[in-house]
Amino acid sequence: MSEALDARYRAEGYWRGRTLGSLLRDWAQKYGMRTALVDATTRMSYVELSARADRMAAGLVKLGIQRGDRVVVQLPNIADFVVLCFALFRVGAAPVLALPPHRLNEIRHLCQLSEAVAYVIPSRHAGFDYRSLASAVVAEVPSVRHVLVAGESLSDVDEDPVALDEPDPSSVALYLLSGGTTGLPKLIPRTHDDYAYNFRASAEVCELGPASVYLAALPVAHNFPLGCPGVFGTLHAGGTAVLASSPAPEVAFPLIHQEKVTITAVVPPLALLWLDNATSLPSLRLLQVGGAKLQPEVAKRITPELGCALQQVFGMAEGLLNYTRLDDPQDLVLTTQGRPMSPADEIRIVDSSGDPVAPGERGELLTRGPYTIRGYFRSEQPHSFTPDGFYRSGDLVRQLPSGHLVVEGRVKDLINRGGDKIACDEVENHLLGHPQVRDVAMVALPDRILGERSCAVVVPRDGAPSLASLKKLLIAQGLATYKLPDQLVVVDALPLTNVGKVDKQRLAAQLKGER
Ligand code: OOB
């Protein structure tokens, strides 16, 4: 079954049998001295980027990092992130892309699960000292033999290039993190073949070319700014990728002006923030918005107030990408989350028993295709995939006759806090350790800016806990700060379903009713 699909993806040219490391060689040949990358301190041509990746690859090999190894990379938007990724691709070692807000709880898990041989960090970023985090990680995870610090020890990973065997293009190039499931983040293995198609086809949908200047405003470790089309798609097209240290208007807007940025990607709360601080951004042609549902009222403001076109992007690190197209009628751009990127994307919309819904009806989105995974790394997730290899997205959608999807909700127990995904059970399990928490349910409440904010609904023991004490506990447990509850509601009991599980729908409805 899956072999037949693989053969089809190869035969039809989706998978071209090329590694990401060798693609950068092609780009260096083709685009030469054009500017590939810009960050706060560096401007790098294609030739230079490729040469630096070769030198870093040789340095990694000298450290003993080999093909098949995994390296947890937790870097902000700096040029070294890109150099390191390509160095690892050339070695055949895979970066595990942690996000900057991740803390001990997440990083320890990622290092353990991946048996990472190295962990790469900035020294400090956004007021946080990553060295102390790294010390704690090294003390707890014996596989981690090297901690490399950007601008410091990472700069010494620099040797004269050595000849390296080409990795298998169907092997894993990188691991993205899953936001879409339960518990701690799962690792999403993306192969050279599939990820190359991901950013190549995305670049085509966004009509990128050598004149394109892409601003990575979101953290580049995320699939959206990395490969949809993001930094990698821009390099494929011969454009320039500009890395912003923050998506705040004070940082991003001057960069858009200086570098004549033509395209960038944001999550809906950032779109709102940019709108509320709007100035003229004459070079900007396309604003991609995705990661969470964009409200039509906000969507409508983008072109008149920012002077650029809008593209809605409904994607997932597991694969499937939906885009509104640049020539779509305006009502589809404003009110839908786009349609699948690839003619080879297969989608099914099913009811709770797994049967297809009638056309236009709402159901759960299942998908299979040339850049969608068929399993997580070392994690049996029988519920996440169908026997015939479709990924269960957990998203409730309906499809219009045009093929466009409208996201209407979800069946997964997750809070989408302005694009940051919070698995409820993970936070609940930590909160159950609080002495004043007898029972707890994390639910999403509507929020004007974030779309959803997180609410801890607590059944108390020995007097009600304070929100501050819940947050304190979670910080002490090493959870990323975006997972801390925004709000606390104390109740006598949680509503249950017939099967005795917490009825979160009823709970959320009750809370909305009270407000
Ligand atoms: C992107 O990827 P993830 O893996 O962080 O999260 C995926 C989930 C989706 O299953 C869906 O629940 C939600 O995020 N989502 C959206 C959405 N885009 C993502 N929900 C409503 N409207 C949208 N436009 O978030 C991601 C990956 C690649 C490109 C863009 C976003």
Side-chain angles (χ1 to χ4, degrees), residues 39-40 77 125 215-218 242-259 261 270 273-274 277 281:
D39 75 0
N77 290 6
H125 171 69
L215 182 76
L218 298 172
V242 178
L243 306 175
S245 59
S246 149
E250 318 76 275
V251 177
F253 288 1
L255 271 175
I256 293 174
H257 275 285
Q258 280 157 33
E259 301 296 335
V261 167
L270 270 174
L273 185 68
W274 284 21
N277 290 275
L281 300 168

Side-chain angles (χ1 to χ4, degrees), residues 99 176-180 188 198 218 222-225 227-228 266-268 288-294 312-323 336-338 365 391 393-396 406-410 412 414 416 419-421:
L99 297 170
L176 299 173
L177 304 190
S178 161
I188 297 172
N198 190 103
L218 298 172
H222 193 278
N223 190 30
F224 191 12
C228 307
V266 296
V267 290
Q288 301 181 282
V289 185
K293 178 90 178 241
L294 179 65
Q312 295 212 38
V313 187
F314 161 39
M316 49 206 77
E318 283 81 359
L320 180 71
L321 301 173
N322 301 280
Y323 290 104
T336 79
Q337 281 63 60
L365 172 68
Y391 168 64
S393 72
D395 293 312
L396 289 173
V406 179
V407 180
E408 298 209 318
R410 71 178 80 95
K412 50 194 173 187
L414 176 136
N416 188 339
D420 285 329
K421 314 303 184 316

Side-chain angles (χ1 to χ4, degrees), residues 152-459:
E152 299 174 20
S153 50
L154 183 63
S155 312
D156 302 333
V157 184
D158 181 49
E159 298 291 328
D160 286 338
V162 292
L164 296 168
D165 292 336
E166 267 288 285
D168 181 343
S170 61
S171 66
V172 177
L174 70 162
Y175 293 89
L176 299 173
L177 304 190
S178 161
T181 39
T182 52
L184 283 156
K186 281 179 252 308
L187 299 188
I188 297 172
R190 303 292 303 260
T191 68
H192 293 268
D193 268 332
D194 99 59
Y195 211 60
Y197 176 58
N198 190 103
F199 63 71
R200 187 174 76 234
S202 294
E204 214 165 286
V205 165
C206 296
E207 299 177 12
L208 294 193
S212 300
V213 181
Y214 177 86
L215 182 76
L218 298 172
V220 274
H222 193 278
N223 190 30
F224 191 12
L226 188 66
C228 307
V231 172
F232 289 178
T234 302
L235 297 178
H236 159 83
T240 298
V242 178
L243 306 175
S245 59
S246 149
E250 318 76 275
V251 177
F253 288 1
L255 271 175
I256 293 174
H257 275 285
Q258 280 157 33
E259 301 296 335
K260 300 196 168 47
V261 167
T262 60
I263 167 174
T264 186
V266 296
V267 290
L270 270 174
L272 208 56
L273 185 68
W274 284 21
L275 282 167
D276 290 344
N277 290 275
T279 60
S280 125
L281 300 168
S283 61
L284 195 64
R285 290 168 58 180
L286 186 65
L287 183 69
Q288 301 181 282
V289 185
K293 178 90 178 241
L294 179 65
Q295 293 309 320
E297 308 78 69
V298 181
K300 275 192 204 108
R301 294 175 53 193
I302 287 175
T303 298
E305 295 180 35
L306 293 175
C308 60
L310 164 68
Q311 177 183 60
Q312 295 212 38
V313 187
F314 161 39
M316 49 206 77
E318 283 81 359
L320 180 71
L321 301 173
N322 301 280
Y323 290 104
T324 57
R325 302 306 202 264
L326 306 195
D327 58 357
D328 272 344
Q330 203 52 17
D331 65 314
L332 289 177
V333 173
L334 296 177
T335 61
T336 79
Q337 281 63 60
R339 63 182 170 84
M341 170 176 82
S342 172
D345 284 322
E346 299 172 75
I347 69 168
R348 273 188 205 150
I349 301 173
V350 302
D351 63 21
S352 53
S353 15
D355 297 319
V357 299
E361 294 290 303
R362 169 208 292 213
E364 185 188 358
L365 172 68
L366 314 187
T367 185
R368 185 170 77 174
Y371 58 99
T372 295
I373 57 162
R374 300 172 199 156
Y376 291 106
F377 174 76
R378 289 191 191 161
S379 152
E380 290 300 319
Q381 290 293 321
H383 306 299
S384 301
F385 300 90
T386 65
D388 56 349
F390 279 69
Y391 168 64
R392 292 185 210 271
S393 72
D395 293 312
L396 289 173
V397 302
R398 73 191 156 81
Q399 189 167 35
L400 306 184
S402 62
H404 290 68
L405 300 174
V406 179
V407 180
E408 298 209 318
R410 71 178 80 95
V411 292
K412 50 194 173 187
D413 188 16
L414 176 136
I415 300 167
N416 188 339
R417 188 176 184 275
D420 285 329
K421 314 303 184 316
I422 304 167
C424 295
D425 67 336
E426 188 203 349
V427 181
E428 289 160 1
N429 286 334
H430 283 283
L431 289 177
L432 284 170
H434 190 290
Q436 288 170 292
V437 173
R438 181 182 306 281
D439 203 357
V440 58
M442 291 293 295
V443 294
L445 292 181
D447 187 274
R448 199 180 59 83
I449 294 163
L450 292 170
E452 295 176 10
R453 68 170 174 276
S454 63
C455 178
V457 186
V458 168
V459 182

